Amino acid sequence: MLSVPGPEILPGTREYEWVASVVAAVERRTGRPSQWDRRLFEETSGVFAAATPNGPMTVSRKHVLDPVLRGYDAPEELSYHDHQLIRLATAVVIHETDHHQAELGDPAAPDAIRQLGPADMALSEGFAELKARRLTTAVMEDTGMDRAVPGSIQARIGSVYPGYRGSVEGVALGLQELTGRPRHEIVSAIQDAPRLQRYNAMADLLIDARLDGLMPPEHRSQVRLALTRPLLDEVAAMTEHESPTGDQRALDNLGHEHAERALRTVEQQLAGIEQHYRAHGDHPPRMPMSAQERAQVQRIEAYYGRPSLDLETTHLRQFLDSGAHSGLASGGTAASGGAAGAAASGAAAAARSAWRLPPSNGGQAR
């Protein structure tokens, strides 16, 4: 659903000062500034809140502001449900602050995911939910809500995006097991990366932990493509299931299932990549690529100013290997004939099954 800003909430009002205090507490706790431009609007679309990159925040009066103000003003003891709404309102503002703390990255980079596409939506919302769950109690203490509204800090709440959160938790756990690094380091490395490069940050964790000293540094862009593809596919697939009315536990479980599938495939890919580099010693060639994959790697490495001088050598080696397998090496027809074309096509088809290009994802803003 698209955000629809309503009337502006001005500095000096109780609503504004409460939101600003929550944002400030998150900034202190994380040591990371927010890109919020300090303008606040009512959210009128029906969503709880939204954050515009380098811009304003919108919050629902009904779902966020009113429950909090009612908690501060209530002359009588609040119900447990009231406490839940207050804690949820705080978590929502923390969630949106995470979006404002995230650097976007260059959408035009050839290795960036599509902004607000399914892969971006699922990962970014999932990480925002992780931060909200981790910080809500601390932020309520920092802002004095635990004393002003006794009982609200103990209330238990669910997640706005349980499926996305489950998939992100599952990915973090899988990367922890594959790299041997602590969970908090895994989460920080991904969350601190530019939003459109977070899947590459996951691949970098794997490359640095498992391929250091084996893989030539100039091969990183190609290996990243192989390791990010299963993660992109499975995390993005959660956009088909996430629903505010869905069963929380079922969505959380489904998110973990998608993450587990992704990590199983990543582990298989990683084992094959390790085997390739161990088998070729000190000067290993690149792994096989299709023409499309080779073109993608060339675009990526040209963008970062690292010309891929060995790509054509790799292509020629693949072509000659294909020709030899089809009989060309023993007196067959020239490479312009059908046999060579069929061999090259077969090699490309085999490569595509393991090195798929990113799909064209659809999606829209929150």
Side-chain angles (χ1 to χ4, degrees):
M1 181 181 293
L2 291 173
S3 170
V4 180
E8 184 166 5
I9 301 170
L10 297 175
T13 60
R14 297 174 70 202
E15 297 95 324
Y16 185 97
E17 296 308 318
W18 174 75
V19 170
S21 71
V22 172
V23 172
V26 175
E27 290 176 324
R28 287 193 301 271
R29 283 278 173 177
T30 59
R32 192 178 183 91
S34 164
Q35 299 168 13
W36 178 37
D37 67 0
R38 270 42 188 185
R39 296 192 71 185
L40 185 66
F41 294 86
E42 289 186 31
E43 175 58 56
T44 61
S45 69
V47 301
F48 283 11
T52 303
N54 298 301
M57 183 186 299
T58 62
V59 291
S60 166
R61 184 167 290 280
K62 175 182 177 181
H63 298 295
V64 177
L65 299 175
D66 286 349
V68 171
L69 294 183
R70 192 162 53 245
Y72 279 109
D73 294 339
E76 70 283 346
E77 185 175 344
L78 296 171
S79 69
Y80 183 73
H81 180 61
D82 290 328
H83 288 150
Q84 287 180 304
L85 294 178
I86 292 166
R87 185 177 178 89
L88 177 60
T90 310
V92 165
V93 176
I94 296 171
H95 177 115
E96 299 307 327
T97 301
D98 179 71
H99 291 323
H100 271 142
Q101 288 181 304
E103 178 189 347
L104 181 64
D106 183 3
D111 59 346
I113 58 174
R114 187 164 64 83
Q115 185 178 357
L116 297 178
D120 177 30
M121 284 280 293
L123 198 64
S124 130
E125 300 296 354
F127 270 114
E129 283 296 281
L130 279 188
K131 182 177 285 185
R133 186 173 67 174
R134 178 170 61 89
L135 292 182
T136 297
T137 295
V139 166
M140 293 180 79
E141 291 173 344
D142 291 349
T143 56
M145 294 182 71
D146 59 328
R147 299 180 298 278
V149 193
S152 59
I153 201 168
Q154 286 85 28
R156 296 177 62 86
I157 58 172
S159 173
V160 179
Y161 295 109
Y164 297 157
R165 190 185 72 183
S167 64
V168 167
E169 284 180 326
V171 165
L173 177 61
L175 291 174
Q176 179 183 353
E177 293 174 352
L178 289 177
T179 64
R181 295 182 62 175
R183 182 180 180 277
H184 73 273
E185 289 186 9
I186 297 289
V187 172
S188 294
I190 301 168
Q191 199 159 23
D192 290 347
R195 204 176 88 197
L196 304 184
Q197 294 287 340
R198 283 175 170 173
Y199 291 92
N200 286 330
M202 297 180 198
D204 285 339
L205 287 166
L206 293 163
I207 290 169
D208 294 342
R210 300 281 292 270
L211 300 176
D212 185 41
L214 286 177
M215 182 198 79
E218 60 270 23
H219 294 190
R220 182 176 290 262
S221 296
Q222 179 191 358
V223 173
R224 270 178 164 185
L225 290 178
L227 297 177
T228 58
R229 175 51 39 215
L231 296 162
L232 276 162
D233 288 346
E234 292 293 344
V235 174
M238 280 305 300
T239 59
E240 301 174 9
H241 308 287
E242 188 67 271
S243 167
T245 60
D247 180 84
Q248 292 255 329
R249 185 180 296 276
L251 285 169
D252 179 77
N253 289 339
L254 186 60
H256 278 87
E257 289 171 13
H258 277 271
E260 288 168 7
R261 267 199 304 273
L263 268 299
R264 281 198 299 270
T265 304
V266 165
E267 189 169 15
Q268 293 167 1
Q269 294 273 37
L270 194 56
I273 294 167
E274 285 179 316
Q275 183 178 17
H276 168 84
Y277 285 114
R278 291 186 188 283
H280 286 88
D282 292 337
H283 302 288
R286 288 181 184 260
M287 296 185 68
M289 282 183 282
S290 70
Q292 286 179 314
E293 292 151 359
R294 190 169 62 256
Q296 174 74 348
V297 171
Q298 284 177 320
R299 287 193 296 272
I300 292 170
E301 297 183 355
Y303 174 85
Y304 291 107
R306 299 191 297 268
S308 309
L309 300 178
D310 64 330
L311 279 175
E312 290 308 316
T313 302
T314 301
H315 175 49
L316 180 60
R317 183 183 291 113
Q318 285 181 241
F319 179 76
L320 292 175
D321 288 346
S322 298
H325 289 311
S326 64
L328 293 179
S330 57
T333 59
S336 60
S345 174
R352 273 195 296 275
S353 67
W355 302 82
R356 292 170 290 171
L357 286 175
S360 177
N361 293 327
Q364 63 180 12
R366 295 177 60 246

